[in-house]
Every structure is written in structure tokens, then in C-alpha cells.
Amino acid sequence: MKKISYISLFLVVLIAASCRKLDVAPLNIIKDADIFSNENGVKAYLASIYGTLPIEDFIYQPNHGFMKNDGGRWQCFYHPGSLDGELVGPYGSTDEAATGFGFWPYDNIRTVNYLLQTLPKYASAFTPDQVHQWMGEAYFCRAYFYFALVKRYGGIPIVRTLQNYPQQSIKELQVPRDKEEDVYNFIGSDLDSAYMLLPETNLRGTASKYVAAAYKSRAMLYAGTIAKYGSGNLVTGDALTKGFVGIPAADAGKFFQAAYDAAKLVEGHYSLYEKNMANKEQNYADAFLDNSSPENIFVKDYSLTSGTAHSWDATLTCRYMTADGLSRCYPTLDLVERFGGPLPVVNNDGTPRRFTDRADLLQGLEPRLLATVYFPGATLRGLNFDIQRGIFKTFTGSAAQELSNNNNTPNEAGGNLLMADKPTVLYNGRNIMGFAGVSTGGDDYTRTGFYVRKYVDYKKAQSACGLYQSTQSYIDMRYAEVLLNRAEAAMELGGATQADAIASINQLRDRAGATPATASLTVDSVRNERCKELAFEHQYWWDLRRWRIADQALDNTKFYGLLPYYVDTEGKYIFLKQVEPFQRSYNFQKKYYYEPIPGGELGKNPNLFPNNPGY
Amino acid sequence: MKKLLMTNCYRLDGRMPVSVLLRRFTGLLGIFYLLLGGPLQAQQPAAIAGNPVKGRILNEKGEPLAGASVRYKKDKKGTTTDANGAFSLPAQRGDVLVISYVGYAENQYVVGENKTFEVSMKPLPGNGNLNDVIVIGYGTQKKVNVTGAVSVIKAEDLVVTKNENVVNMMTGKVPGLRVQQLSSEPGSFNTQYDIRGLGNPLIVIDGVPRGSGDLSRMDPSEIESVSVLKDASAAIYGVKAANGVILVVTKHGARNANGKFNVNYSINQSWQQFLNVPEGVNAYQFMELTNEKYRRDFGTNSTATSAPVYSDSLMALYKNGTLKSTDWVKAITRPSAPETQHNLNVTGGNDKVNYFFDLGYFTQGSLFRTNSINYNRWNFRSNVNVNVAKNIRAQVLVSGYTDKKNQPGGRSVWEIFKYAENLFPTDPVYANYNPEYLHTEPDNANPVALINSDLVGKSNYQNKNFQGQLGLEYDLPFVSGLTARVMYNYGLGIADNNTVRKAFNLYDYNATNDTYKATLVNSPSTVNRQYYTNTNTLMQLSLNYKRQFGGVHNVGALLLYEESHSTGDDFSSQRQFSLGIPYLFAGDDVNQVASMDGNGLYEYVTKSLVGRFTYDYKGKYLAEFTFRQDGSSRFSPTARWGFFPAVLAGWRISNEPFLQNLVSPKILSNLKVRASYGKTGDDAPVQYQWVSGYNYPGTGAILGGNYVNGLTSRGVTNDALTWLKSKAFNVGVDFDLFNGLLGGSVDYFTRTRDGLLATKGAQLPGTVGVALPQENLNGDQTQGIEILLTHRRTVHQVTYNISGNISVSRTQNRYHEETRAGSSYDSYKGALTDRYTNIWWDYVYGGQFGSYSQIYGYGVNTGGGNQSAVPGDYYYQDLNHDGVIDAKDQVPIATRDIPIVNFGLTLGANWQQFDLSVLLQGATDFHVQYAEQLNEPLMFGRSALTQFLDRWRPADPNANEFDPNTKWLPGNYPNTGSPVAVGTRAVQNATYMRIKSLEIGYTLPRKILNIAGFQNLRIYANSYNLATLTGLKNSDPEHPGVVGPNQDWNISQGGYLYPMNRTFSVGASVSF
């Protein structure tokens, strides 16, 4: 019996020791006070805002958005340039992406507003400079969100302060749309606040005084052009008459002046990348890859360890030159010809010029063009862009007859033209198609004869060009754009500022290795300069919209490629200008000047009506 | 010493030599023998002399059978056994005694010299007997007294199905347990199952809540029985019981009649075949289909003017053999793969101690030629019961398993199948057909490379699990029938995953200069290690009371306090390695990552008070009341505790004299009606949602060159959020007629839940910028019927039993929080309240156009004004008669998810030394849809499966498809490039019935066994998934397409899943 007592005693102790309380706090949840009372807490808070900033970077897709962790984020070729004729690529039509993806980042705006409201309460824990800087960053970020909204939808509700539910009724929370002009003014004033509060210099990837000024030049230029060109070229509707879309033309000058002034503020704080002017082509290519470039104003960085790396290298050139992935979008001949007109591929008699080496074509072209686009015959990572559409056993006649690319000409008929879907297929021991394309089968080889070069990291080993292995920074704002904003605003303002525009443009042309501009400079030539300088930088789509010329530029439009062939009997190459093999027609409906307000939001808030014209 | 170490070690290549294996087994045996053999041999029963004849009647486990009838054969007079199974009858030498007991085969005994004897009765095969003791929540009950809907699978019924997953062995055997095996991938245990369609059930093994994976990984030989609690009988498990409970009890030793112990060894050797492995077209067929697709210019509805993708000259190269076609599926698969299971156990016991020791080993290979997916597992168990003192009993249960799944590194298994199905047959496996150089393929996914672990690296997933349990039971003095018990269980689980991804070369051949260009892909090589560990402790203190009053009032009571504590932790780290040593220590500093899965870090405490009161009057009127008070640290202090009561009642009408007068008990031996009602809960979806603040880390940004973690606001929280509440109701009837000739039960049940989580956020404008927290808003109800019929009989020398079951279950939303609909159609389609769940909305298939005249005459626009339609294209029914096929013509066409109606039919038979068991299993009201390669030829511009060759096409391949005079050859699919099937054409009825298992066994006659020194030796042949009857085309019905509740498209299930298998096994079990 004694033993039993011992056992019982032991059990009682065991039970007492193992008793636990039900109040077990979760291990990974932190509180307001932990964040706003210490510097690293505020920095983490700001990092989450910067991390969600709607930057249209390498992984942005116009129909799917900013792709944070989405499986589609490797597909860098879903590039907005494929909607507007800079590139042809994966989109079947403009309609696929022109109505957007239901962007509605008010949760992120709330995060900013919460900081603006909460940080002052904890101000005593920090120096005034720290508080000013963080508040300035918050204003900058809020402006960034609203600019991303206004360029898509026009006027949307401006939410300046924190809204609360259930303290506020749902009726109260059903806020109406603000006018497009008011939104631009709001963005302007937030950026002004940011300019006032922010320091002169910034940590890479964050805002400073001049970052705010640069973005103000962009936003105000948009507002100015919309005011000037916007009224006449829209589907009419309630939203237009009520000012939810469109800005009164009378206000154009005010906005252009604001854009010009803001651009001017940046002067002296940044400069064009000109480290290697002895080789302007190389210099221009490096401008996008050198992290120490004085031209970079606001960049987004990536790294392998944080899981943010992108796939630009793997998905913009052909698989033959990368370690994984595939390409799907290719520069058009139309874009290439913007730089200096038609390329010298046709003899005076109309016959195609014969080339011994494809690379001979590159002679004499603008260095900036060669640094923007990879031509047939160019090299990358020691490999040649051996682009070849096929083999003509013999070739007679003119280049013009092959323009339609319809397989009906005498040269193409009767087995005279050999084409293949893969480089493994041979004719007389020679590959029928190049390892870099053009294939009859897949679209993962060039369809235009060109590949994108801008941002492609040529220093990288081929084995390092896999998916999610690219870490070059995305330059969301660079000084070249500020110069272009300044020049465009100057030209629109007219008068004495034209000289200022010419000076800005010539800074760019000198760096590009192009011929300088003269007094004949027009608004159109400034716009064309913008297209060339900012090609593939996600600007042209928005530019076409704000200039209100998209419906003319993309009106049943087909784009061209320049396709190399080998002529077997002559042992020479020819280049034929032909409709790109997708033969896609691009159409821009006028209603696309604005995206529709997301349907789900209209359902939840009737005050968002009227929807944008045409929807 | 060194030599000794070497011989006892694994060989350096990592394989265990057979000799070592054998030594381990024999060594283990020796230890068992030394520990237990000696003392037990001394326990010989003493012979008792005297008159009259005395005997004991025992069941198959050596336990006494009370109430068995013992009669003289000559005049049918006799007696019945007492509580100890004993009887006494005056008898003379030569008298024949007939011993019978319901549910057992009749036995005869000829009185000889011995006046004292024991008779072991053999149970009739079948679904159990009324006096069986079955396991219920926190206790046991005689089957005859059970008032809940509880089904039991006994060990012998479980093991007639041979499978690697214990859950698959339960398929079809009890009504209401729905099991669907999705794939036979080794080590993935990819089976979904539930009870009555209710969701994930609670798994309890030897009284301890465990994970579903632990059940799947059990060694079938260690299982004594499986009880499925389907109704309010589960309510005693409170907040975790809403979906029912599966209770597994492991084997224990028993007092052995002569004190000896048994050693049982069994081996099962299987060969797997693979069902419905898809087949890809060859290069020529691929080119034909491709040209066919691109011949049609849909923009202009005419034959394309551009060149065919593949010219005749190119196609001729494949036809004449200059270029070779590649069969990617065949290149990586083999026709069969082995699977082996060993089990060794020792059982025995005497009056003081009994024990069960078990050691199991299992290994399974895969259909890959390289066998690079493979799995192996060790299970062990030691169950010991000791009578410490007169009133004290102790129980020590120790068990564990360790398993390992290997697969090629870096890619999911479904991807390998996807590429094997969609890669171009025009691509060679090797550049220039030279086997030194694997050819470059899209996504670097050359399947022949992907299955080669030596080349691409290798992943392995290891689990280790240990459970140790101590129970002490004390019959309290002073109060008769009162027992106190304390139990403590410690569980430890470890998941250890290691993935090595190696860089390797792929090659292109350049004919112009006869060189191979290597591309180093999959670079950099990385090694990734994930480590999860969790501990669970469970403590129970209980008082159990059981007593009979006045011979008619049977009273029982249980009061139990339970406390559990669970913790989890994990980490993951990754390094690149350049030296070729795939371990973290040898990794590079650059780009190294250390991280953690926040969900794997947790600590929970629960406390519960459990009670049960049972009362029956003469075994006729049965009543039971249970309750449970549950508290959990996961809920907010304001909504932390829940009370879950249940009432169960039964009436054994067959024991009523009025009925016995009406129908003889010999005809109707049992008729019982029963009903139950109880409250249960489900806390699985609720995790600390009431705590406000920030989740950390959240999305951050690289600022100043360094990544800064962000944080994510938890938004508005709901203090009142709690588990969802469920009410279970069941009414049923059990009956047995003609001593087993017909038996069965019928159950009707409902389960009503409210407080399902939903958000009202749908109504809050997005401009507020905050998501509302979840609230306990929605409700649903599941109801259904289960029918079980059994029949058993002995005809001449054949004893057989048949058992059939069918169950139907459906769930309906009772309340569903909804957004305002934009139109009356949207409101019709979108309103979910009062509608069945898992409804599939789509078009109703009309047919295939047979000719141009039919297309021209067709009044309904199927898209583009039918301009691009050609003969063979599908058309759909215009159900709203608006002349256009659009989303408004979608109607409910089918149900998704696990089949609604499930049935099983088991047959068992014995003839002399032979035994046979057959399990037919099937389901109906079951639909599947397949996507990607199984739905579309040339998906994503890649290859096609051979089924798509059976298509509509012009008789002359060069004819203009858009010319009305073109002659067409009909086929199952439309012309390549035409719209793919949707609606009821794509959603296939997957109703099936299959011979799930078939086993024929032979037990060696005793005479031969005695010579060989064995107690028992049985050999058998078995097949799993032997044959399937289904209308489904090109796939296995259990192998999923696009399935899952409210899940439109799950790529891992898009038909690329590892296929199902059919196995043929032979095996033997031997006892000595």
C-alpha cells in the first residue's frame, strides 16, 4: 500500500507540473506600439509601403497587374509595348489588356494614411528630421498610388484620411468620385508636401526632394496634355460632362508650367550617364545596367535571396542564349525605323541587297538604336544572333513583292523556299532556320528579326540567365525622362522656352550619338525623341493615351519585321521587310482612353457611377 | 573492432545487405525470446479431474464466451455458459456435445478421457457479432448496446485489401466512409476521404488525436480495429468532432492458453501496373495535326494563305525514317514496378503480463525507368499490459515510424508527366541522336533528364514519429465498479526534407560545323533543407464506474479531464554549392537563405472535461448522455469555452416478450432502433483571428541595397469569432434474421452547421481599404442515408458471407452571405443560400455538326455567327432561347468533388483450406473534367495525345474546309483547331465500379504444419484494382481532372498526377 501512495504522490506532482494556462499568445503577431516607437519599426512599415508601390517594372503585366507572388511573374514578355506596336508579342489583341486588371489599391493607401495619422502621435520618440522625412516619404508614396489610379480611371475618390468601419456607416463610406483635375491637383499637392519635407539625398529605392520633383514633372505633364488634347477625342458620356474624365482645356497651361517648373528643380542634381562616350553604343547599353549611374532618380532593386529576382534576361532573348525560359515579344521594324528611316536593305533597282555577313547591316546605324535592339548578326555572350527565316534555293525579283509575307510569290512557291520549326532540320547540311529563329512553329523565337537589348545584362554568364535570376534594377525614373518632360512641357508652353527644349533634347541626342536638333524642333519631334529614348520603358502606352492619338496609331494596324534569308545558290543573305508572321491587327477603341471602374466596386458603391464613357 | 563495425554497418553505397537484414530479424527474435520466453513457459494450466464434464468456451482470442449454448446432440437438452464461459454437465464417454453461439460456427465435442476441456469457437466471417466489444469514444461497448451510428472494420477485414495506404484498405468496407484515391505515387498518400461527406474527420489512434498522415502510414498488421463514429457518438470529442471520428486501436497481447507466445511473420510481394498512362502522337501525326490546325484562318474563315507549318518535304523525312520520332512517355516509364511489405510480430501473455511487439517494413517503387521516385518505411510498436498489483493495471504503449520518399530534385512530379505528355515528338531525346548529349528542351524539361536523380539532383522527404504512452488503472477500494485511470502520452513528429538541385548540361547540335553546344541549366546547384518538428502531449485523468443493480439496471459513468499541449517549430535553409558536395556545410556564402514557415511555429493548449452516463434496463432500453466542455488557447478569452452535449437512445425490440411471442427469437435474433442527437464543433479554420496588430514579416522592399521586411496589418479583428457549431442527428435500425442469413442496418442522418466563416466585406466599399474580419455567418446542412445488408451462411463445407453497403450524402447551404447580384440571372446563378454545394455550372452539350447544311440551318449563334464552324464542331443548347450561346445558357450540369453515392460489396468464403475474398467498390453521381493535354490537342502549341487522332477531318487533307462540297470523315473530336469541349461534353460521368481487391488464400493443413513445426501458414494471391467498369474515357475515374469544391482549376490535378496502379501480389503469413 505504501508503494501505491508513492505512486499517487508522484502522479499528483506530475499533473501539477504539466498544468498549463490557456492564455498562450501567438508567436508572430506584433503591435502598433512595437512599430511606431522605434526607428526600425517605422522603417519596416515604410518598407511594406515601398514594397507594394505600383511600379510598372519588369514583371508588370497590363492585364494582370503587379504580380507580387503570382506564378505569372516570370513572363516579362507580357510587356505593354506588345499592345502599342513597340513590340509584337503574346497579346492576341489590344482588347486583351486595354481594360486593365481592376486596380484598386485603397488598402495600400489606407496603410499610408494610417502612417500619416499615427506617426505624429509617436513623434516625441524621434528627431524632427526623422519625422519630416518619413512623413515626406508617405506623401510621396500616396501621390504615387493616386497617379497610378488617375492615369487608368481618370477621377476616382480621393481618400485623405482613415476611414473606419463600423464607426462610420456604410452609406457614409460610399464616397463619390472626384474630378480628374482634382485628383491631379491632389497629386501635385502631395508631391509638394513631399518636396518640402524630404531631405536632399535619399537611400537608394526611397524618395528625396528631387525624386518628388521628377515625379511631379511626369504627373503634371500628363494632366497638361489631357487638358489640351483630351476633350475632342473621347466617347461622350456622363463621366465626361461631370469632369470625372477630362480636364478643362483652359487649365492646360497651368499644368504644363507646373511640369516645366518641377523638371527644372531636378537640374543639377542628376545627369545623363556618360561614362564611356568613346563608345556611345556601349555607354547607352550600360546606362541601364550600372547601378552607380548618376542618371538614376528612382529605382527598384531585386535580389535572389529575397525572392524578388525577375526574368528579363531569360525571357527577352532567345532560349539559345539563356539557360531557361523563352521569349515572346519582339521589337517591330516600325520602331526601328523611327530612329533613322528605312534600313539599307534594298538596292536602288528594288532587289534585296545581298550580304555576305548579316552583321554588315549594323554599319552606320545610330548607337542608341543598336543599344536598344539586337539586330541579326549582333552577338551576345559570345553567341551570334544567327537569325534566319529560311533558305531560298534561288531568289529573283524585288524585295517589294515579298512584303505581304503570304507565301504566294514565285520565290516562295514550288519548294524554292525552305522553312523549319526547329534548328535540328537541315538542308544540304545547313540549318534551315537559325538557332535564334525564325521558326514556322513556335513564337518563342523572334517573329520580327529583332530582339530587345535594353536592360539585357550581357555580362551575365549564360548559365546564370535562368528564370528568377535577373537582379538588374528597374529604373522607374531617370534623368533622361525629366529632360523629355521638360522639353515637351516647354514646347507646349511655346515661346521663349523652345530654346530650352532644344537644349534638353540635344543633351539626349549627343549621348545617343544622333544628329543634334535644330530650331525646327516641333512637339512631334519631341514626342518622337521620347519614343526612341524611352523605348520599352512602359511609357509609350500611356503616352499614346495622353496624347489622345492611340486610336489613330492603332487603327487596324499591322506591324513589320525584317526577316533574313539565306540564298543557297548565291551563298548570300538577304533581308526582307515583311508583315510579322503573327499578322496581328492592332485596334484601339476610343473608350480605351480610360479603363472601366472595377465592376465589383460599382456593386458595392453606387456613388462611383457614372462609369467611364463606353462602359 | 573496425572490422566488426564495418560488417554491422550499412554498406558504403547506402544499401542494406540482405544478410544484415536477416541478422536484425533473428537478433530481435532472440531478444524477445530471452526477455519473455522463459517465464511464460512455466505457466502450464493444471489438469483438474472429476465428474461431471466441465468445460470452458472461449472465443477466438481466448476470452470466455458467456451465454453459449452447450447441448447433447441426442436430445438437444443442455445448459448455457456462465460469465467465465464455464459450464458443467453430466456426460459419459462418447456423448456428443453441440456448442453454439450466435455469430460463431457450431462446434461439436466428443466426450473422451478428458473430463475437462476448453473449446475455442471460430467466428463466422462477416460484419461482427452482437457480443463483440467495439471501441467508441473514451471506452468500449458491446455491439448489442451501441446506440450511435458506429461502424467497425476489424483487422481481418482490413487486410484482405493489400495497399500501401491504410486508408485505401478501408475503401468500400463500411457505409458512409467515402474514400477516393487520387494517385498511387509512392509516399504521397494522395487519398481524400471523409465520413458522410462532412470534411476532414478527427483521427484518434489509441486514444490520442493524430494527423491524417499518421493513419496512412500505419502498418496494417498493428491494427486491431477501426471504428468510425459518424453521428452524435462523436460528440464526446467536442470541438473537433463535427466531421466524425475515426478511432484506431492497435493490437494487444492476450493470455495464451498454454502460456506460449506466437511469432507471426508475413510477407507481401506486389507488382504494380499503371492505369491509363497517356500516349502521345508520333512526329508525323503531330505535324499532320499542326498543319490541320493552322490551315484554317479563323480571321477570314478560309484556308490559310501562308505556308503550312510543316512542309511535305519535312514530313517525308519522318515518314521515311531519316528523322526519328520520340515517344517521351515510353522514354521515361516502365510497364511494372515492385512493392514489398514485411511484418514480424510477437504476441503472448499470461495472467500478469501480455504483450504485442511489431516490426514492419514497406518499400514501393515507381513507374519511372530509373525508379527515381521510391519510398520506404519502418514501423515499430510495443504494447505491454501489466497487472502490477491486484487492483492496479499498467499499460505501456510505445510506437513509431520512420519513412523516406525519394524523388528527382527540383521539379514536381506532375510537371514530369506534363512534359512527357506535351513535348514535341519531333525533338530527339539526344542531340544528333548521340546518347552522350541530352537535347535542349523547352523549360529544360527533357523528361529523360528529369527522372535521372544523378543528373538533376534529388529530393527526399523523411518523417519520423514517436509516441509513448503510459496508462495506470486502479480499481478503487470501497466502491465496487469504480476505477480511476491516469494516462499520459508524449508524441514527437519530425519532417525533414532535403532537396538537391544540380546544374546539368543540355546540348544543341550544330550541323554546319559538327559541334555540340552545351548549355549549363538549372544553375546554380542548390541544397535546401527544411526541418519541421512538433510535440504533442496529452494527459487524461478519469473515473470510470460500471455496475449492475438488481440484475436489471446496468449503470455506467465516465468523468474525464483532458489537457493537451502542442508546439511546432521549423526552419529552412538553402545554399548554393559549387564544389559538388550537396550538403549545407559545403555551400557557398553568396545568396544563402535562412527562413522559416510562420505557420509551422505555434503553441496551443486545450483543456476539456468529458463525461458519459449510460443506463440500460435488461439490455432492452438503452440510454446514453455524453458531454464535453472544451477550451482552447486559439480563441479569444471572450469566446474560449464550448459545451457539447449529446443524447443517444436505443430500444432492443427483439428482447420484448410481445415481439418474441410474435416472432421467434430464432428467426429475429436482433431488432434495435436507435436515435442520437448531439452538438459538435470544428475549430480547424479558426486561428488567432481575434488578435489585432501586424503579421511580420510581410512584403518588404530593397531599400539602400538591403531587403527590409515589411509588415501586414491584420485589419479589423473580430473578438467574437469562434469555432463553427454543428448539430448531428441520426436515426437508425439494426436487425439480424435467421442467425445471420440476413442482417443489416439502415441509417438516416442530418448534420446542420452554423457559424461557418464568411466576411461581410462584400458590402464594404474597397475605398475603405480594409477587409472585414471573418464572422460566424454561414450555415449548411448535410443529409443522407446509409444502408448495410449482410448475409452469411454455411452450405456443406463452404462458409461464406456477403455484405453490401451504399451511402448517399449531400450538403446544402442553409445560409450563405451574398453580394447583391447585378441581374436576375446573376442572382439565379450566384445565390447560394438553400442550394446544394459543389454544383458545376456550364453549357449543355447539343451535339457535333454533321454537315455544312446543318451549320447553315442552325438558328443559334454558337460564337462568331457560326462563321468559322466546320463539320464536327460542337454545339450547345440555347437554353434561354435568345439565339446566342453565352454565359446565360449555363445551368447546373453536375456535381463536383467526391462522389455523392458510394457503394461497396464484399464477399468472403471459406472452403476447406481455401479462402476467398472479393471487394467490389464504386461510386455514382460523380463527375470529372480534364484540362490541358487531356482536353486539347496541341495545347500551348505543344504536342497531342493519341486520342485526338480520332477527329473530324476532310477526306482529302488538302481540301478547303470551308467549301460546302468537301467530304468529311467523322470522329470523336472536332477538327484540330476547333473549339475544345466544354459543358456536358467536357464534364464526364465518372460513375464506376471496380474490383477493388480480390484475394485467394490457402492455409496449410494442420498435419503438414505440425511436421514443419508451424502453427499456421497461409499463402495467398491478391490483386488491387483488378478491373474497372466505367464509361469514362482515357482516364481512371478516381484520378482527378478539375475537381475540388469551388476550385476551378488546380494545375496539380489537371490529369498530370502520377497514375493509379493495379497490383498483383503474392504473400504468405506464418505463425510459429
Side-chain angles (χ1 to χ4, degrees), chain A residues 53-56 59-61 64-68 101 103 152:
Chain A
L53 224 48
I55 297 171
E56 292 168 25
I59 58 170
Y60 166 72
Q61 294 181 13
H64 288 126
F66 301 95
M67 317 295 281
K68 274 166 224 145
F101 55 95
F103 183 58
R152 289 179 170 80

Side-chain angles (χ1 to χ4, degrees), chain B residues 19-42:
Chain B
S19 60
V20 171
L21 262 177
L22 275 175
R23 259 208 304 285
R24 291 199 168 181
F25 273 111
T26 47
L28 196 87
L29 275 175
I31 292 165
F32 286 173
Y33 184 83
L34 283 175
L35 280 174
L36 301 154
L40 290 168
Q41 300 265 329

Side-chain angles (χ1 to χ4, degrees), chain A residues 18 20 22-23 30-32 35 204 304 319-320 323 406-407 421-422 425 431 440 462 469 601 603-604, chain B residues 305 307 309-310 314 426-427 444 512 517 523-524 563 565 591 607 633 640 688 692 694 704 762 766 768 820:
Chain A
S18 68
R20 288 172 189 278
L22 285 181
D23 288 307
I30 51 179
K31 301 285 190 184
D32 253 7
I35 294 162
R204 187 175 170 86
L304 290 174
R319 174 64 183 79
Y320 183 64
N406 63 4
N407 201 44
D421 64 324
K422 298 205 167 66
V425 186
N431 301 84
T440 57
Q462 182 175 0
Q469 287 192 321
E601 293 303 324
K604 288 185 278 190
Chain B
T305 50
V309 177
Y310 300 104
L314 191 58
T426 48
D427 270 356
N444 301 324
T512 315
K517 182 213 154 208
S523 171
E563 190 178 297
H565 178 230
N591 292 332
K607 295 183 176 198
S633 65
R640 176 162 281 170
Y688 288 117
S692 64
Y694 300 84
V768 181
R820 213 170 353 165

Side-chain angles (χ1 to χ4, degrees), chain B residues 254-296:
Chain B
R255 190 184 77 85
N256 204 317
N258 52 13
K260 284 186 177 171
F261 63 95
N262 288 339
V263 177
N264 309 299
Y265 169 72
S266 61
I267 178 171
N268 183 66
Q269 176 63 46
S270 306
W271 290 269
Q272 311 170 67
Q273 288 184 337
F274 300 94
L275 303 175
N276 296 299
V277 180
E279 203 183 326
V281 295
N282 67 30
Y284 187 81
Q285 292 162 335
F286 163 71
M287 294 172 133
E288 245 183 2
L289 291 178
T290 305
N291 282 347
E292 187 172 295
K293 177 172 176 177
Y294 292 106
R295 260 180 75 78
R296 286 160 63 190

